[in-house]
Amino acid sequence: MSQSLSKILVHTVWHIRYDSPEILKEDRIELYQYLDNLFKKIGCPPLQINGVGNHVHVLFTLSKNITLAKVMESVKSVSSKWLKTKSKHYIGFAWQRGYGAFSVSESVCPKTRRYIARQEEHHQQLTPKDEYIQLLIKNNVPFNEQYLFDTP
């Protein structure tokens, strides 16, 4: 082939570190806008961003020119540094080291977007930990629950 073409949709989720201050509700929209710009700058346009106080979900198109690991390393590092400049509340802010990433087919993209958009609704009935475990199980990702979250 003379040209490399791809469309890889990825649903990612990552959590704050166990000792980190939560993301305040009044700062979330600005954080999501900031994340939107970060993803676009690295060539991975986001389709949906949302979360709650202790984690974020992003559905984006993975560029063929960057690895998923580099995307997540960059986005988490830069956004963490940015949040620390927002207010004293975020001085000790940090994301956990890991993240979850799941491939999304074009046919379920609208459903995934709705799922991400309704995070507050989901977490009235489901803890973030239980949600993450459900995502892992649904996507057949092997895991050891002992190592899912950073702990003291």
Side-chain angles (χ1 to χ4, degrees):
M1 287 184 212
S2 62
Q3 188 179 27
S4 297
L5 302 170
S6 71
K7 184 168 185 186
I8 302 169
L9 300 174
V10 182
H11 173 193
T12 57
V13 58
W14 66 96
H15 293 78
I16 63 173
R17 197 172 62 198
Y18 68 91
D19 60 349
S20 183
E22 287 208 350
I23 303 160
L24 300 174
K25 191 167 188 160
E26 60 266 23
D27 294 330
R28 291 181 201 160
I29 290 174
E30 189 176 4
L31 171 62
Y32 304 154
Q33 290 169 341
Y34 190 79
L35 290 170
D36 183 83
N37 288 329
L38 288 176
F39 276 92
K40 285 177 182 171
K41 278 184 184 177
I42 56 179
C44 296
L47 304 171
Q48 191 73 46
I49 301 174
N50 200 8
V52 293
N54 60 5
H55 72 282
V56 173
H57 290 255
V58 179
L59 174 63
F60 68 95
T61 304
L62 181 65
S63 167
K64 63 182 169 54
N65 300 317
I66 189 169
T67 66
L68 175 62
K70 284 288 184 194
V71 169
M72 296 309 297
E73 177 186 351
S74 175
V75 166
K76 289 170 61 184
S77 172
V78 173
S79 64
S80 178
K81 289 174 187 169
W82 176 79
L83 258 176
K84 289 176 186 175
T85 68
K86 293 299 301 162
S87 75
K88 289 181 182 180
H89 173 77
Y90 297 109
I91 298 253
F93 183 85
W95 299 113
Q96 288 196 18
R97 289 174 289 163
Y99 58 88
F102 313 99
S103 60
V104 176
S105 70
E106 190 68 40
S107 64
V108 296
C109 185
K111 182 179 178 181
T112 305
R113 288 180 75 152
R114 282 191 304 276
Y115 177 82
I116 292 171
R118 295 180 177 148
Q119 279 299 292
E120 296 243 356
E121 209 176 289
H122 295 305
H123 292 294
Q124 291 175 0
Q125 302 164 10
L126 195 62
T127 68
K129 181 179 179 181
D130 290 340
E131 175 195 40
Y132 189 53
I133 290 170
Q134 281 184 6
L135 283 169
L136 294 169
I137 292 169
K138 179 181 173 187
N139 288 279
N140 294 316
V141 177
F143 66 93
N144 181 331
E145 196 168 338
Q146 179 181 351
Y147 302 111
L148 285 183
F149 295 93
D150 293 341
T151 56

